[in-house]
Amino acid sequence: MKTLQSLTHQLDQWRRTYQPLRSLLPSRLVDSPAAIPGQGLGLGLGATLQNRGNRPRIVWLLAVVSLTGTMGQRYYNAPKLAVGKIAPQTIRATFDANVVDTFTTEEKRKAARTGAVPVLTIQQDVTEQVYDDLERSLRTADDLRQLAGSFPMVPTAILSAATQIDLRKCAEWEWRSILAAVDTDMKVNQPQSGLLPDANGQSNISATPAVAELQAYHQAASPQDFLALISTINQARAQYAKAVAAFSDGNPERRYDASLLDLSNEAWQQTKTGIPQVAERMLTQGIPPGLPDSILQQALRVQMNLLVPPEAEPVATQMLLWGLRPNLIEDPEQTKQLAEQAAKAVALQTIAVRQDEVIVRAGETISQEDFVLLEYFQLSRRSLSWSGLIGFGILVTGGVCTFWRVERRFNPQIRQRDHLLILLLTLSTPVLVSLGIRYTNLPAVGLLVGSFYGSALGVTVVGLLGGVLSVSLPITWDCLVAGAAGGIMMSLLAGKMRSREELAFLGVGVGLTQGTVYLIVNLILGAATGSIWYTVLQEAALCGFSGLAWSIVGLGLSPYLEHVFDLVTPIRLAELANPNRPLLKRLAAQAPGTFQHTLFVSTLAEAAARELGCNVELVRAGTLYHDIGKMHDPLGFIENQMGGPNKHDEINDPWKSAEIIKKHVTEGMVMARRCRLPKAIQGFIPEHQGTMLIAYFYHQAQQIAEKDPTKIVREEDFRYDGPIPQSRETGIMMLADSCEAALRSLKDATPEQALSMINKILRARWQDSQLAESGLTREELSRIAEVFVQVWQQYNHQRIAYPKFTVSSDKGCKASV
């Protein structure tokens, strides 16, 4: 027995001596099992993973077979004489029959459903608003006409209406030229110099009807009456100029045709009455949205034929075009009912055939109608299509190989159980499609694979699955493309989320994306051309809601899958790092010193992990749980004694004390398993101590053995059982745990002194071979030491010295520094 123990002790010493030398050898020698004795024993994690990767993985064969079998159903009983194939011989009907073509019937019903005319209903609030706008416009027009004065301004027996219109509109110089042409001897109150045109202008003005009518009245009437007429015209011209100026003041309600002011009072009254009647007729019939202005103007001319005077039609048309607006809106319920009625009205498409009638002749291409008859008479020659199944299997194999290459590139440490989970998630999609579920669960697959294994694998799975589904199972393109878009979006973003609340909001975005893509695909494929927009939008909304629903399903399944398959995701790690977790609350209550120690170690380890690009979330969560085993005997550890008596002084047995210290690892593992912590978190409990020597009690035992030769001191009794750190994360955590106590003890040391002390500790761990399998390098140890010093400086930041106050009986408080 003693010989075996001595041999074990010697082997352990050789191993610790060999590991520092191993890091100095070329990698090609280290990786070769034959290069170094004992390498083939698989003691290290790297060798274990390498050997595991070289083993034939049955999961790959299982993936190809199961995926081919699940999605290759069309080849199990495939017709050799299908639509588009060439008939090898002439085939005749064996008896009389009337065969229902369900495929053609459904296609026609779908076309009737999407091609029906939408039902419109009148919006009463819009109609009332139009009436109010037209009434306000008519009042504005009345105000403008009153501003311009009544028309005609004089009886038409004196001046015709056309002449009165011309006289109100003409320019000032033109008006004075008319007066001069009427009577050159007439005295005018205002000077005329500069107002008369040239001889040709005077000649043209003299020939106008206005000059003739004014000359006639001048000759027939007295001078006083003629001057009164001129005064009335001048007054009317001034009022008309004010009214015209009001047209261009920027008010949209005053943008009328200028002929408004030229209408007689009788014509205007008839127009005021006719415009509301025309509007009522138009609004009662309804104005649909998108009606061109040219068609609306044509409809207005028809309605105004008997209601508005011809000379007022331009004014009325302008006012109505300004006031009228679409008052029809689609009635969803009525539209849906009409669409369903149109679909039901499509009769069953039947094909009548007589006995011995030719279904398809040899060499002809089989049409849909021919295929229906062949299926009915069981002449399509259905059988297992080995060629199709093998070809599809090759396609699936290519997809699996693509996944394998992406996995090797982005996630090479994936486990067998992870492959099984990805396979199960992948198989769920074709199974659901085979059950007739229209909207695929690709968003849920993208969420789970993307959050568990990263965006690269998530996008690969969703993309390959969508591509294979398009050629294997009966699924519409719009649903497939929309589901794939939602799944890819979820795969890309799920791994970046840090809470399930963020994932829930991401599900809303995926639903919107899926509905939008569905609508766009329908537009591209032309299915919505001339169709009922309500139906298309309703289907797009359902597609978007399905994306949200599948996101919720995936979000609900993720915690269970994380526990069953022992997965650590950023979200789960963030939840485990919550200090309100029951196990951490127990640690804070039962071992408060250990809990404070854990917090500081976590700060050190997180900073170092961030500097080296490691998994910060994993380091944070693992560090918080690495010392939970100390709850089995809190007073056995000095940080929990709070200045009280040391328990180990009372024991006075270094072997028992060492067992108490070592037991916090085994008890921690028991607690971790009982609380179902992930294996990745459990690994921090033994690996943070590795196989380090419990030096204090080891030296105490040596002192006792010197006094009592019967005492045998074996180094392995004072070493932790290990294993040593198997990852960079646990290696960083070991170094942070080793340096924490030393950094706390430094009060007035300089950063250089702190760095020197930390380097000594890290060098000791390296020389003791504790980091041989962690993947950390000597160069990275220097960076870790610098980060630890930075955190220590932040932790021990300087504060100003506050003055001390002393109480004085006569002058109150006195400050002294």
PDB file of all heavy atoms in Angstrom, residues 654-668:
ATOM      1  N   PRO A 654      -3.485  19.921  11.504  1.00  0.00           N
ATOM      2  CA  PRO A 654      -3.446  20.420  10.127  1.00  0.00           C
ATOM      3  C   PRO A 654      -4.108  19.469   9.135  1.00  0.00           C
ATOM      4  O   PRO A 654      -4.616  19.907   8.104  1.00  0.00           O
ATOM      5  CB  PRO A 654      -1.952  20.583   9.847  1.00  0.00           C
ATOM      6  CG  PRO A 654      -1.257  19.726  10.857  1.00  0.00           C
ATOM      7  CD  PRO A 654      -2.137  19.704  12.076  1.00  0.00           C
ATOM      8  N   TRP A 655      -4.085  18.150   9.429  1.00  0.00           N
ATOM      9  CA  TRP A 655      -4.736  17.216   8.498  1.00  0.00           C
ATOM     10  C   TRP A 655      -6.255  17.435   8.491  1.00  0.00           C
ATOM     11  O   TRP A 655      -6.871  17.489   7.426  1.00  0.00           O
ATOM     12  CB  TRP A 655      -4.410  15.775   8.907  1.00  0.00           C
ATOM     13  CG  TRP A 655      -3.021  15.367   8.556  1.00  0.00           C
ATOM     14  CD1 TRP A 655      -2.612  14.775   7.417  1.00  0.00           C
ATOM     15  CD2 TRP A 655      -1.857  15.529   9.359  1.00  0.00           C
ATOM     16  NE1 TRP A 655      -1.262  14.545   7.429  1.00  0.00           N
ATOM     17  CE2 TRP A 655      -0.756  15.005   8.634  1.00  0.00           C
ATOM     18  CE3 TRP A 655      -1.611  16.065  10.638  1.00  0.00           C
ATOM     19  CZ2 TRP A 655       0.539  15.003   9.126  1.00  0.00           C
ATOM     20  CZ3 TRP A 655      -0.328  16.053  11.117  1.00  0.00           C
ATOM     21  CH2 TRP A 655       0.746  15.534  10.356  1.00  0.00           C
ATOM     22  N   LYS A 656      -6.858  17.599   9.665  1.00  0.00           N
ATOM     23  CA  LYS A 656      -8.297  17.859   9.729  1.00  0.00           C
ATOM     24  C   LYS A 656      -8.637  19.230   9.148  1.00  0.00           C
ATOM     25  O   LYS A 656      -9.646  19.403   8.473  1.00  0.00           O
ATOM     26  CB  LYS A 656      -8.786  17.771  11.172  1.00  0.00           C
ATOM     27  CG  LYS A 656      -8.769  16.365  11.732  1.00  0.00           C
ATOM     28  CD  LYS A 656      -9.354  16.331  13.152  1.00  0.00           C
ATOM     29  CE  LYS A 656      -9.370  14.909  13.706  1.00  0.00           C
ATOM     30  NZ  LYS A 656      -9.933  14.865  15.087  1.00  0.00           N
ATOM     31  N   SER A 657      -7.786  20.212   9.431  1.00  0.00           N
ATOM     32  CA  SER A 657      -8.039  21.553   8.895  1.00  0.00           C
ATOM     33  C   SER A 657      -7.986  21.539   7.367  1.00  0.00           C
ATOM     34  O   SER A 657      -8.786  22.180   6.688  1.00  0.00           O
ATOM     35  CB  SER A 657      -7.014  22.546   9.453  1.00  0.00           C
ATOM     36  OG  SER A 657      -7.150  22.687  10.851  1.00  0.00           O
ATOM     37  N   ALA A 658      -7.002  20.794   6.824  1.00  0.00           N
ATOM     38  CA  ALA A 658      -6.913  20.700   5.368  1.00  0.00           C
ATOM     39  C   ALA A 658      -8.157  20.036   4.787  1.00  0.00           C
ATOM     40  O   ALA A 658      -8.650  20.429   3.718  1.00  0.00           O
ATOM     41  CB  ALA A 658      -5.657  19.940   4.972  1.00  0.00           C
ATOM     42  N   GLU A 659      -8.660  19.021   5.486  1.00  0.00           N
ATOM     43  CA  GLU A 659      -9.874  18.371   4.995  1.00  0.00           C
ATOM     44  C   GLU A 659     -11.061  19.342   5.004  1.00  0.00           C
ATOM     45  O   GLU A 659     -11.901  19.326   4.103  1.00  0.00           O
ATOM     46  CB  GLU A 659     -10.194  17.151   5.867  1.00  0.00           C
ATOM     47  CG  GLU A 659      -9.300  15.956   5.630  1.00  0.00           C
ATOM     48  CD  GLU A 659      -9.409  15.444   4.207  1.00  0.00           C
ATOM     49  OE1 GLU A 659     -10.534  15.443   3.660  1.00  0.00           O
ATOM     50  OE2 GLU A 659      -8.375  15.070   3.624  1.00  0.00           O
ATOM     51  N   ILE A 660     -11.141  20.182   6.047  1.00  0.00           N
ATOM     52  CA  ILE A 660     -12.230  21.178   6.090  1.00  0.00           C
ATOM     53  C   ILE A 660     -12.106  22.159   4.932  1.00  0.00           C
ATOM     54  O   ILE A 660     -13.092  22.504   4.267  1.00  0.00           O
ATOM     55  CB  ILE A 660     -12.192  21.924   7.451  1.00  0.00           C
ATOM     56  CG1 ILE A 660     -12.541  20.963   8.592  1.00  0.00           C
ATOM     57  CG2 ILE A 660     -13.167  23.105   7.433  1.00  0.00           C
ATOM     58  CD1 ILE A 660     -12.416  21.584   9.976  1.00  0.00           C
ATOM     59  N   ILE A 661     -10.871  22.594   4.679  1.00  0.00           N
ATOM     60  CA  ILE A 661     -10.659  23.548   3.577  1.00  0.00           C
ATOM     61  C   ILE A 661     -11.000  22.891   2.240  1.00  0.00           C
ATOM     62  O   ILE A 661     -11.679  23.479   1.391  1.00  0.00           O
ATOM     63  CB  ILE A 661      -9.209  24.057   3.589  1.00  0.00           C
ATOM     64  CG1 ILE A 661      -8.914  24.794   4.905  1.00  0.00           C
ATOM     65  CG2 ILE A 661      -8.976  24.982   2.393  1.00  0.00           C
ATOM     66  CD1 ILE A 661      -9.763  26.003   5.155  1.00  0.00           C
ATOM     67  N   LYS A 662     -10.528  21.670   2.024  1.00  0.00           N
ATOM     68  CA  LYS A 662     -10.789  20.988   0.754  1.00  0.00           C
ATOM     69  C   LYS A 662     -12.266  20.642   0.582  1.00  0.00           C
ATOM     70  O   LYS A 662     -12.762  20.544  -0.546  1.00  0.00           O
ATOM     71  CB  LYS A 662      -9.957  19.700   0.677  1.00  0.00           C
ATOM     72  CG  LYS A 662      -8.462  19.950   0.551  1.00  0.00           C
ATOM     73  CD  LYS A 662      -7.655  18.676   0.768  1.00  0.00           C
ATOM     74  CE  LYS A 662      -7.981  17.635  -0.283  1.00  0.00           C
ATOM     75  NZ  LYS A 662      -7.109  16.433  -0.136  1.00  0.00           N
ATOM     76  N   LYS A 663     -12.952  20.475   1.689  1.00  0.00           N
ATOM     77  CA  LYS A 663     -14.342  20.042   1.596  1.00  0.00           C
ATOM     78  C   LYS A 663     -15.235  21.108   0.980  1.00  0.00           C
ATOM     79  O   LYS A 663     -16.325  20.802   0.484  1.00  0.00           O
ATOM     80  CB  LYS A 663     -14.848  19.678   2.995  1.00  0.00           C
ATOM     81  CG  LYS A 663     -16.151  18.875   2.968  1.00  0.00           C
ATOM     82  CD  LYS A 663     -16.523  18.410   4.370  1.00  0.00           C
ATOM     83  CE  LYS A 663     -17.792  17.571   4.327  1.00  0.00           C
ATOM     84  NZ  LYS A 663     -18.198  17.107   5.675  1.00  0.00           N
ATOM     85  N   HIS A 664     -14.803  22.375   0.969  1.00  0.00           N
ATOM     86  CA  HIS A 664     -15.675  23.406   0.389  1.00  0.00           C
ATOM     87  C   HIS A 664     -15.825  23.204  -1.123  1.00  0.00           C
ATOM     88  O   HIS A 664     -16.791  23.682  -1.717  1.00  0.00           O
ATOM     89  CB  HIS A 664     -15.137  24.801   0.725  1.00  0.00           C
ATOM     90  CG  HIS A 664     -14.164  25.366  -0.270  1.00  0.00           C
ATOM     91  ND1 HIS A 664     -12.820  25.100  -0.235  1.00  0.00           N
ATOM     92  CD2 HIS A 664     -14.333  26.197  -1.330  1.00  0.00           C
ATOM     93  CE1 HIS A 664     -12.201  25.737  -1.207  1.00  0.00           C
ATOM     94  NE2 HIS A 664     -13.097  26.418  -1.904  1.00  0.00           N
ATOM     95  N   VAL A 665     -14.888  22.462  -1.728  1.00  0.00           N
ATOM     96  CA  VAL A 665     -15.025  22.151  -3.153  1.00  0.00           C
ATOM     97  C   VAL A 665     -16.053  21.051  -3.361  1.00  0.00           C
ATOM     98  O   VAL A 665     -16.961  21.164  -4.180  1.00  0.00           O
ATOM     99  CB  VAL A 665     -13.656  21.760  -3.743  1.00  0.00           C
ATOM    100  CG1 VAL A 665     -13.820  21.255  -5.171  1.00  0.00           C
ATOM    101  CG2 VAL A 665     -12.705  22.939  -3.703  1.00  0.00           C
ATOM    102  N   THR A 666     -15.909  19.950  -2.618  1.00  0.00           N
ATOM    103  CA  THR A 666     -16.858  18.840  -2.790  1.00  0.00           C
ATOM    104  C   THR A 666     -18.265  19.238  -2.373  1.00  0.00           C
ATOM    105  O   THR A 666     -19.238  18.884  -3.047  1.00  0.00           O
ATOM    106  CB  THR A 666     -16.379  17.632  -1.970  1.00  0.00           C
ATOM    107  OG1 THR A 666     -16.225  18.022  -0.584  1.00  0.00           O
ATOM    108  CG2 THR A 666     -15.054  17.118  -2.499  1.00  0.00           C
ATOM    109  N   GLU A 667     -18.386  19.988  -1.276  1.00  0.00           N
ATOM    110  CA  GLU A 667     -19.713  20.437  -0.856  1.00  0.00           C
ATOM    111  C   GLU A 667     -20.291  21.432  -1.856  1.00  0.00           C
ATOM    112  O   GLU A 667     -21.501  21.468  -2.094  1.00  0.00           O
ATOM    113  CB  GLU A 667     -19.628  21.082   0.538  1.00  0.00           C
ATOM    114  CG  GLU A 667     -19.384  20.112   1.659  1.00  0.00           C
ATOM    115  CD  GLU A 667     -20.539  19.133   1.849  1.00  0.00           C
ATOM    116  OE1 GLU A 667     -21.700  19.541   1.631  1.00  0.00           O
ATOM    117  OE2 GLU A 667     -20.276  17.981   2.201  1.00  0.00           O
ATOM    118  N   GLY A 668     -19.420  22.246  -2.447  1.00  0.00           N
ATOM    119  CA  GLY A 668     -19.904  23.174  -3.463  1.00  0.00           C
ATOM    120  C   GLY A 668     -20.465  22.452  -4.670  1.00  0.00           C
ATOM    121  O   GLY A 668     -21.472  22.861  -5.246  1.00  0.00           O
TER     122      GLY A 668
END
